[in-house]
Amino acid sequence: GLSIVDGSAGLEVGMRMRRGTIVLGGVARDFCGLQMKGGTIVLREGAEIRAGAWMNRGTIISLKPLKLMPTFNHANDDTPTFLNLYARHLATHGIHLPADGDPGIYRRYVGDLSVPGKGEVLVWQPAA
């Protein structure tokens, strides 16, 4: 399913999420995506601290800079192919997600390495 929140969200939004997509128009409070096991969270205005803590799998996409925990490692800078599909799908709901053709790139982090985390955090880096 798809949940679209036009404003901000409180603590632990997406906690233990297994599938689906949550799109937040405002800032997410602490522990966004806590213990995520799957699915996608799109943060249009970023998040406070500890995003993705104890994340096992899943994807957090942030269009604003995030202060990530040290248990996330930078993997690469790229625009993943699947984001083109997400961008087209979200566009039908009036949400713009940068993808191929937009000036910039996503910085990809993997973790949370404090657990056997295979999650990813994608942070949009607009072109200078």
Side-chain angles (χ1 to χ4, degrees):
L2 173 65
S3 296
I4 300 173
V5 178
D6 200 30
S8 299
L11 295 169
E12 302 171 357
V13 66
M15 180 178 180
R16 295 190 185 128
M17 185 173 170
R18 290 190 175 275
R19 61 183 63 93
T21 303
I22 298 172
V23 179
L24 298 177
V27 177
R29 299 262 334 261
D30 294 353
F31 287 109
C32 170
L34 177 67
Q35 296 177 335
M36 266 181 86
K37 302 202 183 324
T40 304
I41 299 174
V42 178
L43 305 170
R44 296 172 70 192
E45 291 297 323
E48 290 180 355
I49 58 175
R50 298 181 212 107
W54 304 302
M55 179 182 200
N56 288 302
R57 288 181 298 128
T59 303
I60 296 175
I61 302 168
S62 181
L63 303 184
K64 300 289 182 184
L66 289 179
K67 183 175 180 188
L68 292 173
M69 298 182 312
T71 52
F72 280 86
N73 285 335
H74 176 253
N76 63 314
D77 293 340
D78 191 12
T79 298
T81 304
F82 80 90
L83 279 181
N84 296 319
L85 296 172
Y86 256 99
R88 273 188 267 157
H89 174 66
L90 292 177
T92 64
H93 298 282
I95 297 165
H96 175 71
L97 182 66
D100 281 345
D102 285 306
I105 200 153
Y106 284 93
R107 180 157 261 195
R108 181 174 175 260
Y109 298 88
V110 294
D112 180 349
L113 300 175
S114 65
V115 295
K118 297 178 184 172
E120 65 181 353
V121 177
L122 304 171
V123 181
W124 176 247
Q125 304 291 311

